[in-house]
Amino acid sequence: EGAGEALDALFEFNPFDDEIFLKNLRRRRTEYLRQPRSWSAATAVAEVIEKRGLPEKALEFLADAAVRGPRNPMFESIRANLLKEAGRFSEAEAAFERMRLSGGADATYLNNHAWFYCTAFRKPWLDPRKALGMVRRAVALQPRSTYFTDTLGWALHGAGEHPEAARQLRRALDLLEPGDRRQRAWERTRLARPLFAAGRKDEALREIETARRDAPGDAGVLFETAEC
């Protein structure tokens, strides 16, 4: 178990290292083949493939897993996120709608659908104002969720409400465990964006410098820093 966790951490650090990717994929596929009706095992394989930057391949695997095992309520949620990553926005929106109609509109659904409206990057799906209405309901249901608070901050940033976005992203940072240096570093790079947009450049640069110091060489942090 410890070796598996270490491999997961290495893969999170650099998902584009061929050797690490193949080792992690083989490990997750072996776990899935041992329990092919396990939805969590199937999801773990799909996540490894998607993080490698292959959302279409992840979708193919997920479709095959759905045939092999029992239908899981999370199927449409996972599929919707993969469709979004693949740029298939209308199909992703349809998957979210199926979730809503089937009674799956819980806090996680609200957050994930809001995130879709924040990051689809193409009209008419890019709609941070619509995202705000959804994610505020999610945060009201689970006010101490880092992920939901982060989405709220990102929606506010996309809607041009940069000072409030910075406040919410700072709150998301504060909700993280102090020892989770990598996740905190990633959150700091996100906080830097509305700080820059609000004209608070010195604060933004301090967040970026802290993030790079806390997670040196981390691919996700470097990407977010470059985006800033």
Side-chain angles (χ1 to χ4, degrees), residues 192-206:
R193 297 206 205 183
L195 288 173
F196 267 122
R200 296 155 61 181
K201 294 185 178 180
D202 289 344
E203 291 177 68
L205 288 171
R206 281 197 296 272

Side-chain angles (χ1 to χ4, degrees), residues 1 15 19 23-24 36-37 42 50-51 54 63 66 81 88-89 96-97 106 134 142 145 161 170 191 206 221:
E1 185 178 346
E19 183 179 359
K23 281 183 178 179
N24 212 21
R37 294 177 65 80
E50 188 276 323
K51 286 177 181 176
L54 301 168
N81 289 330
R88 293 160 60 178
F89 301 126
F96 279 120
E97 180 64 9
D106 59 6
M134 291 183 164
Q142 295 187 28
S145 168
E161 299 181 32
R170 173 74 67 188
L191 170 58
R206 281 197 296 272
V221 169

Side-chain angles (χ1 to χ4, degrees), residues 73 76-77 80 94-106 109:
E76 291 294 356
S77 177
F96 279 120
E97 180 64 9
R98 283 193 294 274
M99 286 180 62
R100 186 186 69 80
L101 293 173
S102 65
D106 59 6
Y109 160 83

Side-chain angles (χ1 to χ4, degrees), residues 4-56:
E5 290 177 356
L7 190 56
D8 282 337
L10 283 172
F11 183 63
E12 286 285 341
F13 183 80
N14 188 359
F16 296 103
D17 182 289
D18 291 340
E19 183 179 359
I20 295 171
F21 165 67
L22 290 172
K23 281 183 178 179
N24 212 21
L25 181 61
R26 280 194 291 268
R27 178 173 72 92
R28 291 302 189 184
R29 281 183 63 85
T30 299
E31 292 172 355
Y32 170 66
L33 291 172
R34 286 175 182 154
Q35 41 184 344
R37 294 177 65 80
S38 166
W39 197 249
S40 61
T43 300
V45 176
E47 286 179 347
V48 170
I49 299 170
E50 188 276 323
K51 286 177 181 176
R52 176 68 171 189
L54 301 168
E56 292 285 1

